[in-house]
Amino acid sequence: MVCQNEPLVQKVCHLYEQISSLESLKPSKDVDMLFTQLVLTCIPPNPIDVDKLCKKTQEMRSNLIRLCGEAEGLLESHFSAILGSYENPLDHLSIFPYYPNYLKLSHLEFNILKQHHTNVPVKVAFVGSGPLPLTSIVLACNHLTTTSFHNYDIDPSANSKALQLVTSHPDLSSRMFFHTTDIMNVTSELQEFDVVFLAALVGMDKEEKVKVIDHLAKQMAPGAILMLRSAHGARAFLYPVIDPCDLRGFEVLSVFHPSDEVINSVVIARKYPMPINSIDHQQTGLGSMIVLPNKCCEILALNPLSHVTMVEELVVEEQHT
């Protein structure tokens, strides 16, 4: 059991106490300083397993993830409003302090996607796009230059701000669409998408996120790709963790854990072409993966890559029981 005598946990707990005592999580000198310290604390590779934290620390982590999500939303809203005041907002994206991270993450996700989806997607959905939909924007501008992007968010003000960013752009204004709805209420419409991206902060804990994943598994088209973001090691104090066995109804194709300033792990999965209980429990494989229906998989450790131009396939070995 990992508990509060662990130096990393002590540091995170101390930062949590300071963050939770703030009057507001809106961008300010104190907020920026504390969250920068938190991120710098959690970025270095660390073998900690958050599932083995004691109950008190588990509760702290859950609360901290929610605080991080709230602060991230407020930060994005703040910069989206600033960008929206420009005549051509997309020419000024670099004012957002984490824009370089989004460039790297989107490049990574695109490289992973093209390994498993050789055709250029016609329609992509991004669930939880928020007021500053940088992943959709970067992918649409730099990588998927003919694809239509449908952005889903439950918050009407977030979509209003996001729409303002692309309205003046001659290309993106015709390829970026925004839907204000709870994704749990979207059903047959999801069958239209070749690829669905699930934002890291949709579902602020594993139970909430698994409900969304189960819904997507029921509604997405057979063979469609799901890309989602997880966290690994100490980075799991910042974002929820999704394990391969949480992706019921999907074949997990690969999992990548960055070791640089890109915080999120990337998981890519394909919806099974038939109901999961009709798949024979024999070893099957697409790419270099052995599928384990209804089982948790053991992901082998991979070599950290700082700059990804080609994403290495992961080999998943069956656990013998």
Side-chain angles (χ1 to χ4, degrees):
M1 185 71 71
V2 180
C3 212
Q4 293 177 330
N5 57 347
E6 164 72 33
L8 170 68
V9 175
Q10 287 180 345
K11 180 68 179 295
V12 172
C13 285
H14 177 64
L15 288 168
Y16 165 72
E17 290 171 1
Q18 293 178 280
I19 290 169
S20 59
S21 66
L22 291 168
E23 291 184 6
S24 170
L25 294 177
K26 291 181 179 179
S28 68
K29 183 178 178 180
D30 288 342
V31 170
D32 296 347
M33 178 189 69
L34 287 172
F35 278 101
T36 297
Q37 288 182 23
L38 178 64
V39 170
L40 292 176
T41 299
C42 295
I43 276 185
N46 190 296
I48 191 168
D49 182 351
V50 294
D51 289 334
K52 295 179 180 178
L53 296 170
C54 63
K55 183 178 180 181
K56 183 178 179 181
T57 307
Q58 289 278 16
E59 292 174 355
M60 180 278 297
R61 173 179 170 261
S62 296
N63 292 334
L64 181 58
I65 288 173
R66 291 185 182 276
L67 290 172
C68 288
E70 182 182 348
E72 187 171 321
L74 291 168
L75 181 71
E76 291 185 0
S77 183
H78 173 75
F79 277 95
S80 184
I82 294 173
L83 286 164
S85 68
Y86 289 102
E87 184 177 351
N88 297 301
L90 300 191
D91 292 340
H92 305 275
L93 293 177
S94 59
I95 70 170
F96 184 62
Y98 296 106
Y99 181 57
N101 296 48
Y102 276 91
L103 289 174
K104 288 185 177 183
L105 178 57
S106 298
H107 185 233
L108 168 63
E109 289 176 326
F110 173 69
N111 281 332
I112 294 173
L113 175 63
K114 72 180 182 181
Q115 284 196 341
H116 299 283
H117 191 84
T118 53
N119 297 326
V120 176
V122 176
K123 293 179 70 175
V124 166
F126 195 99
V127 180
S129 47
L132 189 58
L134 284 176
T135 298
S136 291
I137 289 171
V138 171
L139 286 173
C141 289
N142 298 351
H143 304 295
L144 300 173
T145 56
T146 61
T147 302
S148 295
F149 286 79
H150 290 254
N151 301 281
Y152 291 84
D153 201 282
I154 200 169
D155 182 359
S157 66
N159 276 338
S160 178
K161 286 186 173 72
L163 179 61
Q164 182 66 26
L165 301 180
V166 301
T167 299
S168 63
H169 195 277
D171 176 27
L172 263 57
S173 59
S174 64
R175 291 196 291 124
M176 295 273 281
F177 305 91
F178 297 88
H179 307 275
T180 302
T181 185
D182 186 337
I183 198 64
M184 298 298 286
N185 297 327
V186 182
T187 54
S188 59
E189 186 180 322
L190 286 167
Q191 297 229 356
E192 301 173 9
F193 300 108
D194 307 296
V195 182
V196 176
F197 284 81
L198 183 62
L201 293 174
V202 174
M204 296 300 290
D205 59 31
K206 177 171 283 195
E207 290 73 22
E208 292 175 15
K209 192 174 287 288
V210 167
K211 286 181 182 178
V212 176
I213 292 169
D214 287 346
H215 175 72
L216 295 175
K218 291 177 184 176
Q219 303 300 337
M220 286 171 59
I225 293 291
L226 175 64
M227 297 200 68
L228 64 157
R229 295 166 182 175
S230 182
H232 182 67
R235 300 168 187 222
F237 284 107
L238 307 174
Y239 292 101
V241 174
I242 288 298
D243 296 312
C245 54
D246 296 322
L247 290 158
R248 295 185 290 262
F250 292 92
E251 176 194 11
V252 178
L253 302 174
S254 73
V255 180
F256 182 78
H257 301 306
S259 61
D260 59 6
E261 63 271 21
V262 174
I263 295 172
N264 291 117
S265 300
V266 178
V267 182
I268 183 170
R270 179 183 288 118
K271 183 177 172 180
Y272 282 116
M274 60 188 76
I276 186 69
N277 56 11
S278 70
I279 298 177
D280 185 44
H281 281 216
Q282 300 295 318
Q283 294 181 352
T284 17
L286 289 176
S288 61
M289 179 160 186
I290 296 172
V291 184
L292 301 173
N294 294 335
K295 290 186 180 181
C296 284
C297 313
E298 181 181 353
I299 302 293
L300 297 183
L302 56 94
N303 294 327
L305 298 177
S306 295
H307 301 283
V308 180
T309 55
M310 222 171 146
V311 180
E312 184 179 357
E313 293 272 353
L314 298 178
V315 178
V316 178
E317 294 184 343
E318 181 170 6
Q319 296 173 333
H320 295 282
T321 55

